[in-house]
Amino acid sequence: MNTGSNKPGEAAVAEDRTGTDESEAERALGSRAPEFVKARRALHLSWQVGVFIVGLAVVVAGIIMLPLPGPGWVVIFGGMAIWATEFVWAQLVLRWTKRKVTEAAQRALDPKVRRRNIILTAIGVVIIAVLAGIYLYKFGLQMPWKIEDQ
């Protein structure tokens, strides 16, 4: 049998060429600045500084939104995506985050995990309903302290 290799025990493996352009673009690390910017060192450095400042502003806005109303984590990851257009470290962090989120989503879709989550949610709702019933039986719709006397 011809395995496509000269070494014994090795088998030739065909490369998957489907979606090569998209997968190569996803795998490529480094700057995604236009070529005319990369060709001039000073322009590329100023481009990187600009991308860093814009990304930093978005990340800081996301951090501010964490305790305040707003989509804090979404904005933080948006700032990371801005940084990832230019910096390898941000691309690696973003890839790691995407992998972890995908793994968590797959675990959440597991039927056993879904069943467990539904059971725990139902138990929590029953406990809250019992506590609310006890409170309403004991105090009615009034607060347990008298605000008028203060």
Side-chain angles (χ1 to χ4, degrees), residues 87-108:
F87 303 106
V88 173
W89 61 267
Q91 292 170 1
L92 295 174
V93 168
L94 210 54
R95 282 185 187 178
W96 179 84
T97 304
K98 285 180 184 178
R99 188 174 62 246
K100 292 298 180 182
V101 167
T102 303
E103 289 172 4
Q106 291 300 322
R107 281 194 309 270

Side-chain angles (χ1 to χ4, degrees), residues 30-103:
S31 176
R32 289 184 174 75
E35 290 302 322
F36 74 91
V37 172
K38 289 186 206 176
R40 294 164 184 84
R41 184 161 172 76
L43 188 58
H44 191 228
L45 184 61
S46 61
W47 178 276
Q48 286 181 327
V49 168
V51 167
F52 182 79
I53 290 172
V54 170
L56 183 65
V58 173
V59 168
V60 167
I63 291 172
I64 291 171
M65 286 185 204
L66 286 176
L68 299 175
W73 285 110
V74 174
V75 174
I76 290 172
F77 290 126
M80 289 297 296
I82 291 171
W83 278 339
T85 63
E86 201 57 36
F87 303 106
V88 173
W89 61 267
Q91 292 170 1
L92 295 174
V93 168
L94 210 54
R95 282 185 187 178
W96 179 84
T97 304
K98 285 180 184 178
R99 188 174 62 246
K100 292 298 180 182
V101 167
T102 303
E103 289 172 4

Side-chain angles (χ1 to χ4, degrees), residues 87-143:
F87 303 106
V88 173
W89 61 267
Q91 292 170 1
L92 295 174
V93 168
L94 210 54
R95 282 185 187 178
W96 179 84
T97 304
K98 285 180 184 178
R99 188 174 62 246
K100 292 298 180 182
V101 167
T102 303
E103 289 172 4
Q106 291 300 322
R107 281 194 309 270
L109 293 176
D110 180 28
K112 292 179 183 178
V113 175
R114 288 188 71 205
R115 191 174 320 118
R116 183 197 66 198
N117 289 346
I118 290 171
I119 290 170
L120 289 176
T121 302
I123 290 171
V125 167
V126 167
I127 290 172
I128 290 172
V130 167
L131 291 175
I134 292 171
Y135 176 84
L136 289 173
Y137 176 74
K138 188 169 184 177
F139 299 110
L141 292 176
Q142 296 178 357
M143 293 292 173

